[in-house]
Amino acid sequence: MSRTDRGGRGAATTGRTRRLVGGLRTRLVVTFVVVALVSAVTATALAYRDARTAVLQRTQNAAVNDLRERVTAVAADFDVPPDQRALARFAVKVSDGIGSRIVVARYQDLVAVSDSLADTEGRITAELRAAVRAGGGARFQRVMWRGEPYLVVGMPVRYADGDQRTSGLEVFAITDLRAERDDTAALLDSVRTGVAPVVLLAAVLALLAAGTVLRPVRKLGRATRELAAGDLGSRVAVTGHDELADLARTFNESADALQASDAELREQEAKARRFVADVSHELRTPLAAMTMVATVLEEDADQLPPDAARAARTVGAETARLARLVEDLMEISRFDAKAVRLNATETDLADTVRASLALRGWTDRVRTDLQEDVRAVVDRRRIDVIVANLVGNALRHGAPPITVTLGTALAADGAWVTLEVADRGPGLPPGARERVFDRFYKADEARTRGTADDSGQGSGLGTAIALENARLHGGTIDVADAADGPRSGAVFTLRLPLRRTEEDAE
């Protein structure tokens, strides 16, 4: 597996992990579960509090009422002041009538307990005794004794003569609250047990809701990616009348407008290409005649007056430049129409470069460092066009020495042929590097030198045609400043895959 494949799979895995961790589905499910959990816990706490309060309130009211009624009934036959034995009988009678609760009767320094074995000192507090002694009626207090809960109810006994005077007799009843505690604990356990199913149900409902909400969102995302990838016919089915349906409808309308605009632009572009091709084709015949006439005039220029001779040479040069422009336009039109085919054969690239320089008389003006025996399957004519453009631009816009270097290089994606054309001129102006291969782009005059035998600026299509020819071979052309700095010349580098057989080229 290549590094690119591993990197792509790693990026895809990372993307899926991020969607899983931070996706809308996860957030919806987590929100549902958290809301359900908080609601369940809150309901459990409130239910436990209310149930516990209700149970204790019922037990407390029953204990107070039972003690009051029983004390009233027993005290009717009780004489004050009592002795210890009478006080003990009183405590037992009261206890028998209220469910055998532990009853403590106190009269001044006398204390009697219905159960002689019971320890009551830690359960009846000083605060409760003081409250009862104050004579305000029945009082109660919940206490913890040896880790267990108890309810202690106390009340003073009053005379029955109607003036509400206290007799000095005080009665306390101790009620065990462990049963009530166990009941509320059992209720809490049952409610806790019900929280898990509630949370699980909330998660299931959240998944169903998320699926309902996210299904159209996923479809819209898929259609958006297809549209971004160039499928302008991608659309989303509109269902319902909610906000998602409005979003899908808006997407479809935008896609329709984009498709219509693209179709219109393509049609206009096709018309423009046909127009350029037709005009270029129609110009070839009159240009051929003009070229012949200009050639005759140039040959006889020495026999003409100076002004006429200069005009004849100018007409010849401009006619030749116009002919080159028409040929370049025809070539660009063929590239745009995808009508260009390689006539690839195995070629010695060093010989091709030398022949291209010799054909144009540039051999003495260019330094060469050509690696011998570099053979590759290329279209020799198109390589000649590339070399002529790169070297011609260096001669026209750069400064000597012009150096052409041919070599090979190994990279992770295979073997490559490199052809480097460097000059020592002013280099490319700022911003020109990104546009130097644009059609009809010409750098500013700072890089233009001009020579005695130069006819002026080119057509502005040469570098664009050179790049198209490189791409036709599966290669490219890069441009950079020379290693010495931005004002020490420009370096154009042609990179072609090193294919040694026609099968490799295919």
Side-chain angles (χ1 to χ4, degrees), residues 397-398 423-430 432 443-444 446-447 480-482 485-490:
H397 303 294
D423 66 72
R424 304 297 293 181
L428 291 171
D444 60 21
R447 184 166 160 80
D481 291 320
R487 304 297 297 173
S488 58

Side-chain angles (χ1 to χ4, degrees), residues 227-260:
L227 190 67
D231 183 8
L232 300 183
S234 179
R235 298 293 185 273
V236 180
V238 180
T239 56
H241 303 282
D242 55 8
E243 291 79 359
L244 291 175
D246 292 340
L247 181 61
R249 193 176 296 109
T250 302
F251 172 82
N252 290 341
E253 292 172 356
S254 301
D256 290 338
L258 180 62
Q259 189 174 27

Side-chain angles (χ1 to χ4, degrees), residues 310-368:
R310 188 179 304 107
R313 293 189 180 94
T314 301
V315 168
E318 292 301 322
T319 302
R321 182 171 177 270
L322 182 59
R324 288 196 301 272
L325 174 60
V326 170
E327 290 298 328
D328 289 345
L329 287 173
M330 292 291 293
E331 186 72 3
I332 283 291
S333 299
R334 284 191 286 269
F335 278 113
D336 291 340
K338 309 298 182 184
V340 178
R341 295 292 182 271
L342 280 178
N343 183 20
T345 58
E346 187 174 353
T347 304
D348 187 311
L349 295 179
D351 289 344
T352 302
V353 173
R354 279 190 288 264
S356 180
L357 298 177
L359 179 64
R360 293 163 179 84
W362 294 340
T363 303
D364 295 335
R365 302 172 61 187
V366 176
R367 294 180 182 178
T368 58

Side-chain angles (χ1 to χ4, degrees), residues 28-364:
L28 284 174
V29 172
V30 170
T31 301
F32 267 77
V33 170
V34 169
V35 170
L37 184 60
V38 171
S39 301
V41 170
T42 303
T44 299
L46 293 176
Y48 173 73
R49 185 195 65 180
D50 294 343
R52 181 175 180 272
T53 301
V55 169
L56 294 177
Q57 187 69 38
R58 184 176 64 249
T59 302
Q60 169 189 306
N61 293 338
V64 171
N65 293 333
D66 290 347
L67 180 62
R68 182 183 292 117
E69 292 174 0
R70 187 58 180 167
V71 167
T72 301
V74 175
D77 299 328
F78 185 72
D79 295 329
V80 177
D83 56 14
Q84 183 65 41
R85 183 176 296 177
L87 191 61
R89 285 197 301 270
F90 177 82
V92 171
K93 286 183 180 181
V94 173
S95 176
D96 292 342
I98 57 175
S100 299
R101 297 187 181 98
I102 299 175
V103 175
V104 178
R106 302 175 66 94
Y107 186 82
Q108 296 181 359
D109 295 334
L110 298 178
V111 180
V113 182
S114 61
D115 185 355
S116 60
L117 300 178
D119 181 7
T120 61
E121 287 301 322
R123 286 180 272 189
I124 302 175
T125 64
E127 292 85 358
L128 182 60
R129 286 199 301 268
V132 172
R133 189 175 298 116
R139 296 289 187 270
F140 64 89
Q141 186 180 35
R142 289 193 292 271
V143 298
M144 293 295 295
W145 185 68
R146 295 179 180 177
E148 301 294 342
Y150 293 91
L151 175 67
V152 182
V153 180
M155 61 180 297
V157 178
R158 302 178 185 276
Y159 289 108
D161 55 5
D163 60 359
Q164 297 297 315
R165 290 180 299 114
T166 59
S167 63
L169 178 63
E170 299 170 359
V171 182
F172 298 89
I174 301 174
T175 302
D176 191 348
L177 294 181
R178 283 179 291 184
E180 286 73 11
R181 180 198 61 189
D182 295 341
D183 290 342
T184 54
L187 175 62
L188 181 61
D189 291 340
S190 63
V191 175
R192 280 177 183 166
T193 305
V195 170
V198 169
V199 173
L200 182 60
L201 179 61
V204 173
L205 293 177
L207 286 173
L208 294 176
T212 302
V213 173
L214 295 180
R215 191 175 299 111
V217 174
R218 285 197 300 270
K219 291 180 180 178
L220 184 61
R222 188 183 308 114
T224 303
R225 288 190 294 273
E226 292 173 353
L227 190 67
D231 183 8
L232 300 183
S234 179
R235 298 293 185 273
V236 180
V238 180
T239 56
H241 303 282
D242 55 8
E243 291 79 359
L244 291 175
D246 292 340
L247 181 61
R249 193 176 296 109
T250 302
F251 172 82
N252 290 341
E253 292 172 356
S254 301
D256 290 338
L258 180 62
Q259 189 174 27
S261 298
D262 179 75
E264 183 178 357
L265 289 174
R266 289 179 182 274
E267 183 179 0
Q268 292 177 356
E269 184 179 5
K271 289 180 179 179
R273 289 173 178 172
R274 285 196 300 271
F275 175 77
V276 171
D278 293 343
V279 168
S280 301
H281 181 75
E282 293 299 326
L283 287 175
R284 295 183 73 178
T285 300
L287 271 175
M290 292 173 60
T291 301
M292 288 188 297
V293 172
T295 301
V296 172
L297 288 175
E298 284 186 294
E299 290 177 350
D300 296 337
D302 295 336
Q303 303 174 9
L304 298 175
D307 292 341
R310 188 179 304 107
R313 293 189 180 94
T314 301
V315 168
E318 292 301 322
T319 302
R321 182 171 177 270
L322 182 59
R324 288 196 301 272
L325 174 60
V326 170
E327 290 298 328
D328 289 345
L329 287 173
M330 292 291 293
E331 186 72 3
I332 283 291
S333 299
R334 284 191 286 269
F335 278 113
D336 291 340
K338 309 298 182 184
V340 178
R341 295 292 182 271
L342 280 178
N343 183 20
T345 58
E346 187 174 353
T347 304
D348 187 311
L349 295 179
D351 289 344
T352 302
V353 173
R354 279 190 288 264
S356 180
L357 298 177
L359 179 64
R360 293 163 179 84
W362 294 340
T363 303
D364 295 335

